[in-house]
Amino acid sequence: MSGSVNKVILVGNLGRDPEVRRLNSGEPVVSLRIATSETWKDKNSGERKEKTEWHSVVIFNENLARVAEQYLKKGSKVYIEGQLQTRKWQDQSGAEKYTTEIVLQRFRGELTILDSRGSASDDHQRGDAADQRRADGIGSGGGLNDLDDDIPF
Amino acid sequence: MSGSVNKVILVGNLGRDPEVRRLNSGEPVVSLRIATSETWKDKNSGERKEKTEWHSVVIFNENLARVAEQYLKKGSKVYIEGQLQTRKWQDQSGAEKYTTEIVLQRFRGELTILDSRGSASDDHQRGDAADQRRADGIGSGGGLNDLDDDIPF
Amino acid sequence: MSGSVNKVILVGNLGRDPEVRRLNSGEPVVSLRIATSETWKDKNSGERKEKTEWHSVVIFNENLARVAEQYLKKGSKVYIEGQLQTRKWQDQSGAEKYTTEIVLQRFRGELTILDSRGSASDDHQRGDAADQRRADGIGSGGGLNDLDDDIPF
Amino acid sequence: MSGSVNKVILVGNLGRDPEVRRLNSGEPVVSLRIATSETWKDKNSGERKEKTEWHSVVIFNENLARVAEQYLKKGSKVYIEGQLQTRKWQDQSGAEKYTTEIVLQRFRGELTILDSRGSASDDHQRGDAADQRRADGIGSGGGLNDLDDDIPF
DNA sequence: TTTT
DNA sequence: TTTT
């Protein structure tokens, strides 16, 4: 159809470390599990309530997949832009299932890291400045190198 | 979690007429089935290809539900803004299923009619100017009345 | 700054035909003037009111510039995605002026044509099917050709 | 015009503390100055470059204005959703000027605080957990009170 | 199941 | 004027 738009914008936190698969071509495909949540105060009880929604994100965009692999981990806060896609599959019993994912296709979508720590629940979180510069993708010093051209943030 | 965003933006066409349920309170809840699609030219075969994605939209926002009920029908083109929500349910065999929908909560979301054919809930779609003005929500003449205050487009 | 987003989404109509300039490289740069408007009913007078906002859009994205040049004209309805940019300039008297535009940079932004007529106020609007297919970018028949690979809708 | 959308989405940092004016009605109107920026590596020189864009945001939405007043300050990172609006005015010499702003109208727009330092209107930014919970709008303990119902994050 |  |  001409004239259609299919866009999802999420700001949320990773519930676990990114999962990386490789295509036959060697390109990484990264899956993220992202939580968004809303809080409100119940009109009746006066209690503060919270509802969390979990989103499955799949990154085929090669540059963004590499950024996700290198810089994201459990707890990271990200801005994500992708499109909705529903896949049909069969579980082990042969039952039909549908899964809806936010997909960042090749050359499409956006990913922006919103925290400068890079991590929340990491045991080994180093806080030194060099590490920080790497995590923010602005390190031009030694080491980041071939990824450096593509860092989109 | 503080600081999260969960937003879907769709521009697409209705695959069928809106479905209207009533809450116990009498408020309408409208379900839409919306198609978005992409076309591209296959690099190898040179063929033009198309992939259509179907989206389930549920409108709890009362004003927008009434607009959807009155003005949308199969084929209508709309701009929709809502949030992702995944529901768990059981089919008749007791198997667990998940369905992801774009939800327009009470007082939230947006719906804008993008074609000017518009007017629905009507077997006799007239093309006259008055009808058009109603379909565009700018009719101030007789008849539209109590909905008139709320028309969001 | 790491972690920033600058995004504008417009759905509106062209107030005049696109203006096309050429860079030294020969690439087209297309400027659009787009109207969005809101209508509401005045609480006191009960009158229906309307306010129109005009937006200046500049398309550096080469593929989208060519689509705009070929398919858009006064009255066309479009979905546009770009970023805000404010330019400082001097008028003939030397006074400082600022202009804020929605810019679609090279390889960035989106443009989707939302009407299938392509035009509103054209004297020569042909309505034949072939013309229609071209206007919607899905014509694979004769003539569209070298643009055909890039048509983004 | 029916069927239009005018939406701006920003993620950026405040360049200075919010400015608060009061309407005759006593409602606060808050102005923000927000920076977004892009960095890239120059193809030729290999240098890392950065371009910052500054945005003027005006919040008429009463709840969001109060949140901005209470929780934002220079350096805060926010997600903002509003609409473009261009105002004409005259400088002291009588020259015509235009200013384009991102406006959050009454009952419209969104504001989400993205950093957890957050808490403002306070010279003594404490880092304790209770303070953090308030800054994140999830504090249900004593003290936040009348704003508490409206906190949108 | 839409639209082109 | 921010942020990295």
Side-chain angles (χ1 to χ4, degrees):
Chain A
M1 168 194 343
S2 77
S4 73
V5 174
N6 173 0
K7 183 177 293 288
V8 179
I9 290 172
L10 299 178
V11 174
N13 296 275
L14 273 68
R16 51 167 117 104
D17 288 342
E19 287 171 17
V20 184
R21 292 176 295 132
R22 302 272 159 197
L23 298 180
N24 292 334
S25 63
E27 289 183 31
V29 175
V30 174
S31 297
L32 306 177
R33 195 74 179 148
I34 294 182
T36 58
S37 68
E38 296 179 282
T39 58
W40 69 96
K41 203 171 174 178
D42 187 88
K43 297 262 170 181
N44 302 318
S45 68
E47 283 178 287
R48 187 150 285 277
K49 304 228 176 169
E50 178 168 21
K51 180 157 178 283
T52 296
E53 191 70 36
W54 287 97
H55 310 271
S56 294
V57 174
V58 185
I59 307 176
F60 293 97
N61 178 310
E62 190 177 347
N63 290 339
L64 299 183
R66 287 193 288 180
V67 168
E69 183 179 10
Q70 286 226 351
Y71 300 111
L72 298 182
K73 48 186 154 182
K74 183 174 170 177
S76 297
K77 174 163 283 193
V78 289
Y79 172 97
I80 287 272
E81 203 175 313
Q83 60 187 146
L84 282 175
Q85 211 163 280
T86 298
R87 283 189 297 114
K88 191 183 190 171
W89 54 285
Q90 294 191 323
D91 69 8
Q92 55 279 50
S93 77
E96 270 185 6
K97 303 268 187 173
Y98 290 85
T99 297
T100 299
E101 295 162 322
I102 294 97
V103 176
L104 284 69
Q105 298 287 16
R106 295 189 64 193
F107 309 119
R108 310 206 54 188
E110 299 186 26
L111 185 161
T112 300
I113 303 179
L114 293 177
D115 48 6
S116 28
R117 294 145 282 165
S119 147
S121 54
D122 189 349
D123 289 342
H124 319 288
Q125 188 181 358
R126 289 178 297 145
D128 65 63
D131 191 49
Q132 188 54 61
R133 283 167 69 242
R134 279 200 300 285
D136 290 336
I138 57 172
S140 62
L144 202 54
N145 46 69
D146 60 321
L147 231 164
D148 204 43
D149 283 329
D150 305 321
I151 293 174
F153 54 98
Chain B
M1 165 197 346
S2 78
S4 72
V5 173
N6 173 359
K7 181 175 295 287
V8 180
I9 291 173
L10 299 178
V11 173
N13 295 274
L14 272 69
R16 51 167 115 103
D17 287 343
E19 288 171 17
V20 183
R21 291 176 296 133
R22 302 273 159 197
L23 298 181
N24 292 335
S25 62
E27 288 183 33
V29 176
V30 175
S31 296
L32 306 177
R33 196 71 179 148
I34 293 182
T36 57
S37 68
E38 295 179 282
T39 58
W40 69 97
K41 203 170 173 179
D42 187 89
K43 297 264 170 180
N44 303 317
S45 68
E47 283 179 288
R48 187 150 285 278
K49 304 227 175 171
E50 178 169 21
K51 180 157 179 284
T52 295
E53 191 69 36
W54 287 97
H55 309 272
S56 295
V57 174
V58 186
I59 307 176
F60 292 97
N61 177 311
E62 190 176 348
N63 291 339
L64 298 183
R66 286 192 289 178
V67 168
E69 183 178 10
Q70 286 226 351
Y71 299 111
L72 298 183
K73 58 180 163 187
K74 183 174 171 174
S76 297
K77 173 163 284 192
V78 289
Y79 171 98
I80 287 271
E81 203 175 310
Q83 60 187 147
L84 284 176
Q85 211 162 279
T86 298
R87 281 189 297 114
K88 190 182 189 171
W89 54 286
Q90 294 191 324
D91 69 9
Q92 54 279 51
S93 76
E96 270 186 5
K97 303 267 187 175
Y98 291 84
T99 297
T100 300
E101 295 162 322
I102 294 97
V103 175
L104 284 70
Q105 298 288 16
R106 297 189 64 194
F107 309 118
R108 310 208 51 190
E110 299 185 26
L111 184 161
T112 301
I113 303 179
L114 294 178
D115 50 6
S116 27
R117 290 152 278 169
S119 103
S121 69
D122 178 333
D123 289 341
H124 323 288
Q125 187 183 358
R126 292 174 297 145
D128 65 56
D131 191 50
Q132 186 55 62
R133 282 167 67 242
R134 280 200 300 283
D136 291 338
I138 56 173
S140 65
L144 201 54
N145 48 71
D146 59 321
L147 232 164
D148 204 42
D149 283 329
D150 303 320
I151 294 176
F153 56 98
Chain C
M1 168 194 342
S2 78
S4 73
V5 173
N6 173 0
K7 182 176 293 289
V8 179
I9 290 172
L10 299 178
V11 174
N13 296 275
L14 273 68
R16 51 166 116 103
D17 288 342
E19 288 172 15
V20 184
R21 292 176 296 133
R22 302 273 160 196
L23 298 180
N24 292 334
S25 64
E27 289 182 33
V29 176
V30 175
S31 297
L32 307 177
R33 195 73 179 148
I34 293 181
T36 58
S37 68
E38 297 179 281
T39 57
W40 69 97
K41 202 171 173 180
D42 187 89
K43 297 264 169 179
N44 302 318
S45 69
E47 282 179 288
R48 186 150 285 276
K49 304 226 176 173
E50 178 169 20
K51 180 157 179 283
T52 296
E53 191 70 37
W54 287 95
H55 309 272
S56 294
V57 174
V58 185
I59 308 176
F60 292 97
N61 178 311
E62 190 177 347
N63 291 339
L64 299 182
R66 288 193 287 181
V67 169
E69 183 178 10
Q70 286 225 352
Y71 299 111
L72 298 182
K73 46 188 154 181
K74 183 174 171 177
S76 297
K77 174 162 283 190
V78 290
Y79 172 97
I80 287 271
E81 203 175 312
Q83 59 187 148
L84 283 175
Q85 211 163 279
T86 298
R87 283 189 298 113
K88 190 183 191 170
W89 54 286
Q90 294 191 324
D91 69 8
Q92 55 280 50
S93 76
E96 270 184 7
K97 304 268 187 174
Y98 291 85
T99 297
T100 299
E101 295 162 322
I102 293 97
V103 175
L104 284 69
Q105 298 288 16
R106 296 187 65 194
F107 310 118
R108 310 206 51 188
E110 299 186 26
L111 184 161
T112 300
I113 303 179
L114 293 177
D115 48 7
S116 29
R117 293 145 283 166
S119 145
S121 54
D122 187 350
D123 289 342
H124 319 288
Q125 187 182 356
R126 289 179 295 146
D128 65 64
D131 191 51
Q132 187 53 61
R133 283 167 68 242
R134 280 201 299 285
D136 290 336
I138 56 171
S140 62
L144 202 55
N145 44 69
D146 60 321
L147 232 164
D148 204 41
D149 283 330
D150 303 322
I151 293 175
F153 54 97
Chain D
M1 162 196 349
S2 77
S4 72
V5 173
N6 173 359
K7 182 174 293 287
V8 179
I9 290 173
L10 299 178
V11 173
N13 295 275
L14 274 68
R16 52 167 115 102
D17 287 343
E19 288 171 16
V20 184
R21 293 175 294 133
R22 302 273 159 198
L23 298 180
N24 293 333
S25 63
E27 289 183 32
V29 176
V30 175
S31 297
L32 306 177
R33 194 73 178 147
I34 293 182
T36 57
S37 68
E38 296 179 280
T39 58
W40 69 96
K41 203 172 174 178
D42 186 89
K43 295 264 169 180
N44 303 316
S45 68
E47 283 177 289
R48 188 150 283 277
K49 304 227 176 171
E50 177 169 21
K51 181 158 178 285
T52 295
E53 191 69 36
W54 286 97
H55 309 271
S56 294
V57 174
V58 185
I59 308 175
F60 293 96
N61 178 310
E62 190 176 348
N63 291 339
L64 299 183
R66 287 193 287 180
V67 169
E69 183 178 11
Q70 286 225 351
Y71 299 110
L72 298 183
K73 57 180 164 187
K74 183 172 170 175
S76 297
K77 173 163 284 192
V78 289
Y79 172 97
I80 287 271
E81 202 175 312
Q83 60 187 147
L84 283 175
Q85 211 162 280
T86 298
R87 283 188 299 112
K88 191 182 189 171
W89 54 286
Q90 295 191 323
D91 68 9
Q92 55 279 51
S93 76
E96 268 185 7
K97 304 268 187 175
Y98 291 84
T99 297
T100 299
E101 295 163 320
I102 294 97
V103 175
L104 284 69
Q105 298 287 17
R106 296 188 64 193
F107 308 119
R108 310 207 52 191
E110 299 186 26
L111 184 161
T112 301
I113 303 179
L114 294 178
D115 49 6
S116 29
R117 292 152 277 169
S119 104
S121 69
D122 179 332
D123 289 341
H124 323 286
Q125 187 182 355
R126 291 174 297 144
D128 66 60
D131 191 50
Q132 186 55 59
R133 281 168 69 242
R134 280 201 299 284
D136 290 338
I138 55 172
S140 64
L144 202 55
N145 47 69
D146 60 321
L147 232 164
D148 203 42
D149 283 329
D150 303 322
I151 293 175
F153 53 98

